[in-house]
Amino acid sequence: QVQLQESGPGLVKPSGTLSLTCDVSGGSISSTDWWSWVRQPPGKGLEWIGEIYHSGSTNYNPSLKSRVTVSVDKSKNQFSLKLSSVTAADTAVYYCARRSQLVASWFDPWGQGTLVTVSS
Amino acid sequence: EIVLTQSPATLSLSPGERATLSCRASQSVSNYLAWYQQRPGQAPRLLIYDASYRAPGIPARFSGSGSGTDFTLTISSLEPEDFAVYYCQHRISWPLTFGGGTKVEIK
């Protein structure tokens, strides 16, 4: 079955750019699914960041749209997140997730998540 | 943006009891609503999709109901592993949003 694994720096300086990658295994990123990023500040709820289809089509949360880029690398079967001009408010666990056609385009599965701290 | 409001924020129950969680949408989401369970230190897990369909591998004690703006997740008899935080989420329009969560804790 499909498994997702996030990777990237755990510490980013204020005003810098957060960069994460999600490796997809057990399935093709070129399937009829959307590939998403969701974040969760410590002790708080879930916030959808954005998503991409293998064709390159994207959807972003308007609250973050000016700072977010989600891209796909089909040759590596992975997709990525870049969030620019970060502040302490961007400190969160970042999850990648598939919106699976198998369950009517809901989030399944999720990666284990990676904590990114914004601090100098 | 559609706002999902979950209630109560915390539900204190004993194992074996029935749990009833609510999710209310600021406008109709038809049946485009899902429920997720998140245990401490873990990623969310899909429980219910399209308001009332159990995801593969989810026990029958979990059920969902509702349409439009009012939805309910019911756990018929709480098992020890069910004490967790539950989130609802819609997908009828962008941005996709989640409710604030209901924590089901041991009484």
Side-chain angles (χ1 to χ4, degrees), chain B residues 8-22:
Chain B
T10 304
L11 198 52
S12 298
L13 295 168
S14 300
E17 289 194 293
R18 183 184 189 89
T20 303
L21 288 66
S22 174

Side-chain angles (χ1 to χ4, degrees), chain B residues 2-106:
Chain B
I2 295 174
V3 176
L4 299 177
T5 302
Q6 292 189 241
S7 61
T10 304
L11 198 52
S12 298
L13 295 168
S14 300
E17 289 194 293
R18 183 184 189 89
T20 303
L21 288 66
S22 174
C23 177
R24 177 163 289 177
S26 59
Q27 63 191 79
S28 177
V29 298
S30 185
N31 69 327
Y32 293 116
L33 190 106
W35 292 91
Y36 299 85
Q37 176 194 67
Q38 187 176 33
R39 295 172 176 149
Q42 296 186 15
R45 175 176 71 142
L46 179 66
L47 296 177
I48 301 290
Y49 67 94
D50 288 356
S52 61
Y53 293 87
R54 275 189 301 277
I58 300 303
R61 63 181 181 273
F62 292 93
S63 63
S65 64
S67 67
T69 60
D70 291 298
F71 300 86
T72 301
L73 173 69
T74 301
I75 311 171
S76 59
S77 178
L78 284 163
E79 296 288 339
E81 62 268 27
D82 299 337
F83 292 91
V85 180
Y86 294 83
Y87 294 95
C88 58
Q89 179 235 327
H90 81 83
R91 69 167 186 83
I92 197 168
S93 62
W94 290 283
L96 310 178
T97 58
F98 294 86
T102 290
K103 181 179 182 180
V104 179
E105 65 176 22
I106 299 176

Side-chain angles (χ1 to χ4, degrees), chain A residues 48-81:
Chain A
W48 174 74
I49 299 170
E51 63 185 6
I52 191 165
Y53 196 68
H54 64 79
S55 64
S57 295
T58 54
N59 296 303
Y60 295 130
N61 192 323
S63 68
L64 298 167
K65 187 174 183 177
S66 63
R67 300 193 290 132
V68 171
T69 301
V70 179
S71 59
V72 65
D73 187 334
K74 289 184 280 187
S75 68
K76 295 182 178 179
N77 217 41
Q78 64 184 204
F79 61 108
S80 299
L81 168 69

Side-chain angles (χ1 to χ4, degrees), chain A residues 10-63:
Chain A
L11 181 64
V12 181
K13 294 187 186 302
S15 78
T17 297
L18 179 160
S19 297
L20 296 174
T21 295
C22 182
D23 289 311
V24 179
S25 60
S28 172
I29 203 164
S30 296
S31 63
T32 55
D33 296 321
W34 287 82
W35 305 92
S36 277
W37 290 97
V38 177
R39 71 179 182 179
Q40 184 172 37
K44 296 188 178 181
L46 300 163
E47 179 181 35
W48 174 74
I49 299 170
E51 63 185 6
I52 191 165
Y53 196 68
H54 64 79
S55 64
S57 295
T58 54
N59 296 303
Y60 295 130
N61 192 323
S63 68

